[in-house]
Amino acid sequence: MPRRLSLLVILLAALAAVAPSMTVGTNVAATTAAPVTTDNPLAGRTWGVYRGKAELSWEPYVRAVGQRKGLLAKIALQPKSKWFGDWIGDDEIARKVRDYVASATGGDPEVLVPMTVFRMMPWEQEACTRLPTKVEKASYRRWITRFAGALGDTHTFMVLQPDGPFARCAPGGSKVPARMVAWAARTFAALPHTHVYLDAGAADWLRVDDAVQLLVDLGVEHVRGFALNTTHYDATSSQITYGAEVVAGLADRGLPGKHFVVDTTQNGRPFTHAQWEARPLGQPFDDAATCRTPTGRRCVTLGIPPTADVTTAAWGLSSRVRALAAEHVDGFVWTGRPWLHQQSQPFDLGRALAVARTTPYQ
């Protein structure tokens, strides 16, 4: 087994590292802005850009020339959260994590690494029909433990278990999936510089009260906060307003001061799930129609670039929404993957070029 930090050290480590503010650039790692006084752990630190085969947009960008290369750069050179899931075996996960961190940081231990952990099995619709087996539970614990050991003292922010609302549909109202995610949340949050955001769906998915209960079940008490809009296309302003209500709901449950991140990968021209259902154009939700022009409406295109600078007027948010963002939002992050087929694989060059060509933000 690969060497890793002992779990005793991990469990005794401090919960978070605090640092000043940042904006995103387009090199090996994002460039930082002048620091400001803040308790936001995503601010004031360079966000790393992974350059390797595990990012399916990278090699198409490297091979491209001319205008196509410029368009693909809008995707490939941004700090994005790579997804780690059950397709990576228990015996491989530690090495995969170390390789990813090495590439994303370029060897600089101060760089902040974006990550997404999507390891629960069963999940999505299957989670509504059966509970994890004894073997699956043991594998989950082993995989998470090895992941955490390989991550060690890396500076990272992590979106944990996209499509979190599926924990609510376990047969018989079982809390087993939620308890497993909560255990993973505690394990990762015990690392010295890992900031965990539990996926709570999106503003167009759960009612606020349901999102609050979900987050309590998923162990939000142990982590920095929650993530919104990871697999949806809803407006950033809607997520911020909704997220602030969830924060208030958590405070009412005795959990004040939680923060959240908003995925802006694919909501440059936002629409809700209900709007897609009314006009799906024969395409599944995860492959919803891309924009054809920069002025298209209710179509998929790149949104606000990844950043901890959530209050600038450049994003077009109202003063009220900017005030809420300043109080509650740690960053706009890229966890979704609209340049992939079904947001999963393979890389879809047509989608990638379309979302890059029509974005209103770059």
Side-chain angles (χ1 to χ4, degrees):
M1 182 185 303
R3 294 181 61 189
R4 61 183 187 268
L5 293 177
S6 72
L7 288 179
L8 179 60
V9 172
I10 292 171
L11 293 174
L12 292 176
L15 289 178
V18 176
S21 176
M22 58 132 324
T23 56
V24 170
T26 56
N27 213 318
V28 174
T31 58
T32 57
V36 297
T37 302
T38 177
D39 68 347
N40 181 358
L42 308 193
R45 190 174 294 279
T46 298
W47 293 11
V49 177
Y50 170 80
R51 299 184 172 208
K53 292 182 179 179
E55 167 48 55
L56 299 184
S57 69
W58 181 252
E59 289 197 337
Y61 161 72
V62 171
R63 293 193 300 267
V65 296
Q67 183 183 34
R68 179 174 292 184
K69 193 175 190 73
L71 289 172
L72 294 179
K74 296 181 181 184
I75 298 169
L77 297 182
Q78 292 289 0
K80 304 174 294 300
S81 292
K82 170 177 162 45
W83 289 41
F84 294 83
D86 71 299
W87 54 90
I88 304 173
D90 297 357
D91 294 334
E92 298 179 287
I93 187 59
R95 176 179 60 82
K96 295 284 190 180
V97 169
R98 287 194 297 268
D99 289 349
Y100 176 74
V101 168
S103 173
T105 63
D108 182 349
E110 296 304 313
V111 168
L112 184 71
V113 180
M115 303 181 118
T116 299
V117 172
F118 187 68
R119 179 57 178 80
M120 268 299 301
M121 286 292 293
W123 200 242
E124 307 291 358
Q125 295 297 335
E126 190 181 5
C128 305
T129 63
R130 71 175 182 88
L131 294 175
T133 65
K134 183 177 180 179
V135 170
E136 287 171 332
K137 291 178 187 177
S139 176
Y140 184 80
R141 289 191 294 269
R142 185 165 53 246
W143 193 96
I144 294 293
T145 298
R146 293 176 180 178
F147 191 117
L151 199 55
D153 61 359
T154 302
H155 291 274
T156 186
F157 69 83
M158 176 185 295
V159 173
L160 182 57
Q161 204 52 45
D163 290 343
F166 278 99
R168 302 174 69 245
C169 74
S174 173
K175 298 288 189 180
V176 168
R179 286 199 297 266
M180 291 173 67
V181 174
W183 172 82
R186 292 195 303 274
T187 300
F188 287 125
L191 296 169
H193 303 306
T194 293
H195 312 287
V196 179
Y197 300 86
L198 291 159
D199 191 283
D204 61 336
W205 193 339
L206 295 181
R207 297 183 310 166
V208 169
D209 289 348
D210 291 334
V212 169
Q213 184 60 57
L214 170 67
L215 287 166
V216 170
D217 292 343
L218 294 178
V220 73
E221 65 182 289
H222 304 292
V223 304
R224 174 73 179 177
F226 55 96
L228 295 174
N229 220 34
T230 300
T231 59
H232 281 217
Y233 311 91
D234 199 6
T236 299
S237 57
S238 298
Q239 306 309 310
I240 293 171
T241 302
Y242 172 83
E245 293 176 1
V246 173
V247 169
L250 289 169
D252 289 342
R253 297 286 294 271
L255 297 169
K258 294 301 175 182
H259 295 257
F260 60 97
V261 294
V262 176
D263 192 331
T264 56
T265 318
Q266 53 207 17
N267 68 347
R269 297 294 181 189
F271 56 94
T272 65
H273 189 276
Q275 289 169 333
W276 168 81
E277 281 188 320
R279 193 168 178 264
L281 301 177
Q283 295 175 273
F285 186 63
D286 284 337
D287 262 349
T290 57
C291 296
R292 296 182 179 181
T293 69
T295 57
R297 306 285 292 178
R298 296 181 182 177
C299 49
V300 182
T301 189
L302 302 177
I304 298 169
T307 183
D309 183 5
V310 298
T311 60
T312 177
W315 307 144
L317 303 172
S318 70
S319 58
R320 173 181 169 274
V321 171
R322 291 203 306 273
L324 290 174
E327 184 175 1
H328 302 297
V329 179
D330 285 347
F332 298 144
V333 303
W334 277 20
T335 304
R337 301 166 297 174
W339 48 87
L340 303 182
H341 174 62
Q342 293 275 56
Q343 296 194 48
S344 176
Q345 63 178 347
F347 177 77
D348 187 326
L349 179 61
R351 288 186 69 83
L353 294 175
V355 298
R357 183 181 296 113
T358 57
T359 176
Y361 290 104
Q362 300 180 50

